[in-house]
Amino acid sequence: MSDLSLTLLTETAGDAQAIERLHERTFGPGRFVLSAYRLREHVDHLLELSVTARIGTLLVGSVRLLPVCIGDTPALLLGPLTVEPPFRGRGIGHALLERALEDAKAKGHRLVVLVGDESYYGRSGFRMIPKGQADMPGPVDRARLLVCELAPSAFEGVSGMIRPDWAFAREAVVS
């Protein structure tokens, strides 16, 4: 296969359907019961910090960032991060991750959390959250609960439950 140019773009509202289909293909219906998805039920991800990867016009990957709080401290939840299976192993996921973290830092965000493998995310600055410092509702493997400081010592003194940042809650639909 020849080298194809990868383009990273800020997500737009028009990308939603293609990204949802990508999530269906890569994560399946079981994704909705995961603890990280439970945090997304009432708060939308931030379009200006979410990134898509395209080869030509083909969407091949996506990463999203959602506003959360750790106790009373504002943070971002990274995920889902996904790449179409035929395009994995080519650095697309890492490129998406780095771009999202750069954009978040440029906009003044200080902390990003996620549930994932430290062996993968560690090269981008994520580390395991010390036991008892922060937690997520629902079942989650605490060894996979990771944090990345976008500012020096940003996680120092931070503790509590990771929850949606209700300042960004969607309006309730009344029928």
Side-chain angles (χ1 to χ4, degrees):
M1 185 168 158
S2 63
D3 260 355
L4 299 172
S5 284
L6 181 70
T7 304
L8 299 178
L9 300 169
T10 302
E11 183 181 332
T12 67
D15 295 324
Q17 190 174 37
I19 292 170
E20 181 55 30
R21 287 194 306 266
L22 173 62
H23 291 168
E24 286 173 11
R25 286 190 300 279
T26 57
F27 298 118
R31 68 191 183 280
F32 296 113
V33 299
L34 299 173
S35 295
Y37 270 89
R38 308 309 314 194
L39 293 174
R40 297 180 183 108
E41 288 182 330
H42 302 290
V43 177
D44 289 324
H45 63 282
L46 301 171
L47 283 177
E48 69 272 12
L49 296 178
S50 299
V51 183
T52 62
R54 295 179 185 278
I55 295 177
T57 60
L58 179 65
L59 179 92
V60 297
S62 167
V63 64
R64 288 177 163 171
L65 289 167
L66 174 88
V68 296
C69 290
I70 305 169
D72 292 327
T73 303
L76 296 168
L77 175 69
L78 188 138
L81 166 65
T82 188
V83 175
E84 287 281 8
F87 294 94
R88 291 183 182 163
R90 299 169 191 250
I92 295 170
H94 187 69
L96 283 163
L97 177 59
E98 289 297 316
R99 165 70 185 272
L101 293 175
E102 287 169 14
D103 290 356
K105 184 176 183 176
K107 292 199 182 284
H109 294 277
R110 299 174 46 85
L111 289 171
V112 180
V113 293
L114 63 80
V115 178
D117 295 324
E118 190 173 16
S119 60
Y120 180 83
Y121 292 99
R123 63 184 173 161
S124 294
F126 284 89
R127 61 182 169 81
M128 191 177 357
I129 294 175
K131 185 177 181 172
Q133 188 170 354
D135 203 357
M136 281 179 74
V140 66
D141 180 349
R142 301 304 182 253
R144 293 173 44 86
L145 192 54
L146 310 177
V147 64
C148 178
E149 294 176 303
L150 301 179
S153 303
F155 197 53
E156 193 173 298
V158 174
S159 66
M161 186 64 70
I162 298 169
R163 60 175 176 78
D165 185 336
W166 295 114
F168 293 88
R170 285 185 218 115
E171 293 292 322
V173 177
V174 181
S175 46

